[in-house]
Amino acid sequence: MKIERFDDGIAVCGDATTDEAMKLVIEETNGVPLIIADPPYGNIVDEKWDRIAEDDSVFAQWMVSWTQKWTAALVPGGAFYIWGGIGIVGFRPFFKFLTAIEKPGEFELSTLITWSKKRAYGIKWGYLFTREELAYFVKGNIKKPHTFNIPLLEAKRGYAGYDPRYPAKSEHYRRTNVWTDVTEIMQGKLHPTQKKQRVIEIPIEVHTKPGDTVVDPFAGAGTTAFACRKLGRRFIVFERDEVYFDDLVNRLRQSP
Ligand SMILES: C[S@@+](CC[C@H](N)C(=O)[O-])C[C@H]1O[C@@H](n2cnc3c(N)ncnc32)[C@H](O)[C@@H]1O
């Protein structure tokens, strides 16, 4: 593993699914409140890193294996966010993963978030496709998260609440499990599956405080590292591909 250190974090070039990778995080932090993973989706993107297995059960088992491993690096009540898609007929690894990984009391699915995007892909035989899924798990009981700062939208409610006995706690709407307010990157991506930084900032704001460390095992363009830097959090990110890794390190060195 090649390690690059920054004042506010660490970038590692190597396989994040190994014990060595997970142990590095424990040595550096003693446990983190948040892991955000945007792993390969499974033969969906035309990239060699997306070819893990032809069989969705094998793919789902691969997901289960590194998720269980990485859970050890979370503090009790820590949040684990994992991106995934709904797959295609005969290949639904994310659904299989979601049901296989949950263990009541130990690792519970708190929320399945849908990121509703702006661009929709056309098909004649069905609904247009315009979504990505984001599973939010808690290490332990979903009602006892380590940190949950209630997320609000910029949009204001415009009314005080229906029932005078229960006045609205904020003039802003609360964020729901369907995110419609973030537009994806339309042009000029640095990585084929680069996420809009805002969708990564949201869980960081919800589950951490300034100075906390966030881990991303599948860094890609380094979106999590840049979101952490903007929000005053520390980061440990892993990327196996040397070209993507060198690029994200160069950009981290150059950015304020
Ligand atoms: C879906 S992309 C992540 C995109 C990222 N969220 C962004 O905003 O740019 C997954 C990335 O994980 C990397 N990757 C795949 N398997 C890996 C592994 N075992 N260890 C570390 N990185 C891996 C791939 O090279 C790819 O860049």
Side-chain angles (χ1 to χ4, degrees):
M1 292 194 301
K2 186 163 82 183
I3 300 178
E4 297 279 346
R5 288 183 183 272
F6 303 83
D7 288 346
D8 54 349
I10 301 173
V12 184
C13 188
D15 183 351
T17 64
T18 60
D19 288 346
E20 191 190 3
M22 191 276 290
K23 282 180 184 155
L24 172 85
V25 168
I26 293 191
E27 279 161 22
E28 294 283 339
T29 64
N30 272 325
V32 297
L34 173 64
I35 299 175
I36 301 174
D38 183 16
Y41 312 109
N43 311 340
I44 299 294
V45 188
D46 193 14
E47 292 274 311
K48 80 172 184 302
W49 55 257
D50 206 27
R51 301 272 170 274
I52 301 286
E54 296 304 321
D55 179 277
D56 59 0
S57 297
V58 176
F59 188 95
Q61 195 44 51
W62 174 78
M63 298 269 293
V64 166
S65 143
W66 58 256
T67 303
Q68 283 175 338
K69 183 173 295 174
W70 274 106
T71 303
L74 279 177
V75 297
F80 205 146
Y81 277 66
I82 302 168
W83 289 92
I86 62 170
I88 54 175
V89 176
F91 193 85
R92 308 268 187 209
F94 195 56
F95 289 167
K96 292 192 169 180
F97 161 73
L98 291 178
T99 48
I101 189 70
E102 195 170 33
K103 273 211 186 105
E106 289 179 38
F107 195 71
E108 298 185 347
L109 178 63
S110 177
T111 312
L112 186 58
I113 295 157
T114 295
W115 178 21
S116 170
K117 299 176 167 185
K118 298 291 181 286
R119 184 175 173 198
Y121 290 87
I123 38 177
K124 286 191 180 145
W125 38 266
Y127 295 99
L128 295 183
F129 190 89
T130 182
R131 62 192 292 171
E132 253 185 87
E133 315 310 314
L134 178 58
Y136 155 40
F137 289 94
V138 174
K139 179 177 174 176
N141 183 318
I142 53 170
K143 294 182 183 165
K144 294 179 184 161
H146 177 267
T147 304
F148 194 89
N149 301 314
I150 291 189
L152 301 173
L153 296 178
E154 278 183 22
K156 292 190 176 172
R157 304 160 65 95
Y159 60 90
Y162 292 112
D163 188 331
R165 286 173 299 169
Y166 306 108
K169 292 195 173 120
S170 165
E171 58 178 342
H172 293 268
Y173 283 110
R174 264 183 80 166
R175 182 171 291 287
T176 71
N177 58 7
V178 181
W179 297 357
T180 57
D181 57 321
V182 185
T183 304
E184 65 272 31
I185 303 173
M186 296 289 183
Q187 290 179 340
K189 281 187 185 172
L190 302 167
H191 183 286
T193 60
Q194 183 181 0
K195 289 278 179 296
K196 184 68 168 277
Q197 188 172 310
R198 183 66 194 139
V199 290
I200 305 296
E201 289 170 8
I202 295 164
I204 296 174
E205 290 171 352
V206 170
H207 299 286
T208 68
K209 58 182 188 320
D212 281 347
T213 301
V214 179
V215 169
D216 181 346
F218 305 97
T223 312
T224 301
F226 287 96
C228 285
R229 181 165 283 179
K230 177 181 163 195
L231 298 172
R233 274 66 166 178
R234 301 184 62 76
F235 59 84
I236 304 182
V237 300
F238 295 81
E239 171 55 52
R240 190 167 60 178
D241 183 294
E242 287 187 20
V243 175
Y244 291 141
F245 179 78
D246 290 345
D247 180 58
L248 79 88
V249 165
N250 286 339
R251 284 181 294 107
L252 280 168
R253 292 257 176 257
Q254 282 159 22
S255 97

